[in-house]
Amino acid sequence: MASWRTASVTLLSFSSGLPLGLVWIAIPDWLRSAGVDIRVVGLVTLAQAPWSFKFLWSPLMDRYVPPFWGRRRGWMALAQVALFITTLAVAGVGGHPEAAWVVGALAMAVAFSAATQDIAIDAYSVEVLRKEEQGVAVGARVALYRAAMFIAGSAAITLAGRISWSLVVVGLAVLYIPLLLVTRFAPEPEERVPPPRSLKDAVWYPFVGFLQRHRALEILAFVFAYKLADNLGGSLLRPFLVDMGYSATDRGVALGTIGLFGTIAGTLVGGAWTTVLGLGRALWVFGVVQIVSNVGYVLVARAGAPNQLLMYSAIGFEQVTQGLGTGAFSVLLLRLTQKRFSATQFALLSSLFSIPRVVAGPISGFAVHAMGWEQFFWFTMVAGVPGLLLLARFVPIGVKEPNFDVEAQVRPATRAMSRGALTTAAVLSGVAGILLGGLTTALLGAMQAVRTKPEAGFDFGAALSTMFQPASVTDWVTLAGIFIFGLVVGLLTAAALAARSGAFYIPEEEAPPTSTPGAAEAR
């Protein structure tokens, strides 16, 4: 709170956590408690999809500027007004849980508005924070984000049981009013960067701009791999504790209390220490620590009989180290994002970062089934090593502050690829991406089926057939996700070839930075 920049970014993160708690936790709980069919509740949870696909409309927010409050604060304000209205609408149907389809549509509207707000807040954070403020702001953002999720999720459920669902949701809607005031008076970035000149440039430039970095593809692989050990180890913690004989109370305390506060504390400390240690050293130190922390689960598995002190210590230590890594990694994402395309690039990077969380569950279930819990946790530590090897490629050990600046490139006349060649490469790689995405999704589905119904056996053909013959809304969303994955792979391939061959470059005059009067000491 020492700077109005960091204070604004931190307080706005509270606005990001509110709709997530409502859509992910409170609404499904309310519907099921009211007796709504579990199949309908399952479909309502599809309202989580906008957070996964938010990069699809992020170029619009880079290209177009609202007529008030600037490019980032203007979009934040529009999203917060939409969140206020849609949350009130959810409160309006609070007495009619039988209208589950209406609730689902409203939940989707809340989620779309929330994802739009997240794009704008993330882009604003990239542009407004100074380098020395990023670490502290990242930790504080996570703390308020988690606090807001708790208020709109678990606390709202408890309070609704004592008064009424409608009144609780009205109270959540009212919280957006002071947050809108924060948006209104939040400082503008010190450097003003004009938006891309066309929507095509807003889609194309973020890819080319990022891939002009040295070792850009290795950086992307690192973004995917850095938290892989944590994602694998944490994906099945609750079933692990059940198998180890721990009671529901033990599991609730460990995962709901110790885990929550451990993650928040770790992220706060990790963000602050990243500023002290330097980003390069923090990524190395926290990367090693978060891998080694899974040894606590090895000890829990080896203990056999329940040992509450050992289990609480293992989970607390692992969650703190996970927060340390998240703090440093979040600073890395801010540094990697170019300010002129901050909405699209940050949305793409955060989506890539979330993929391991999606695939970790089925992979972990299959691995545990094959090797047992103790060997599985040793395996998760080995799975974290590739991330460190990739880190060494662009941040050697001992480097305090890596340089991610993109140098201007001059278009070479001899080796530039033609637009036709780039288009062909994009189409072929896009098709390959669709096939890869489809095969991977089918494999994960078959692995999940083995874990839930071992008597049915491993049937890859049935999983593949089900995926390409969608029979439900969930199946259609999965299929759409596969085609979107192929689209991104195609664009990424064409952009990589363009950046490397010089077939396309971003002219310096596209986005010349200009200073904002009076912003140098906004406090």
Side-chain angles (χ1 to χ4, degrees), residues 67-110:
F68 54 88
W69 300 5
R71 183 163 62 144
R72 302 310 180 199
R73 294 187 303 123
W75 280 113
M76 278 189 273
L78 290 173
Q80 286 163 350
V81 170
L83 283 168
F84 174 73
I85 294 172
T86 53
T87 305
L88 280 182
V90 172
V93 297
H96 304 281
E98 69 278 2
W101 296 107
V102 177
V103 175
L106 291 173
M108 183 66 75
V110 171

Side-chain angles (χ1 to χ4, degrees), residues 142-180:
V142 172
L144 260 72
Y145 182 85
R146 290 296 188 101
M149 275 191 67
F150 173 79
I151 290 172
S154 302
I157 292 170
T158 302
L159 193 59
R162 298 185 177 183
I163 47 178
S164 75
W165 168 258
S166 296
L167 287 177
V168 169
V169 178
V170 167
L172 294 177
V174 170
L175 290 177
Y176 290 110
I177 296 176
L179 294 168
L180 185 61

Side-chain angles (χ1 to χ4, degrees), residues 17 32 37 83 102 109 147 155 178 306 397 401 455:
R32 187 56 180 161
D37 191 302
L83 283 168
V102 177
I397 296 177
E401 294 292 351
E455 69 279 359

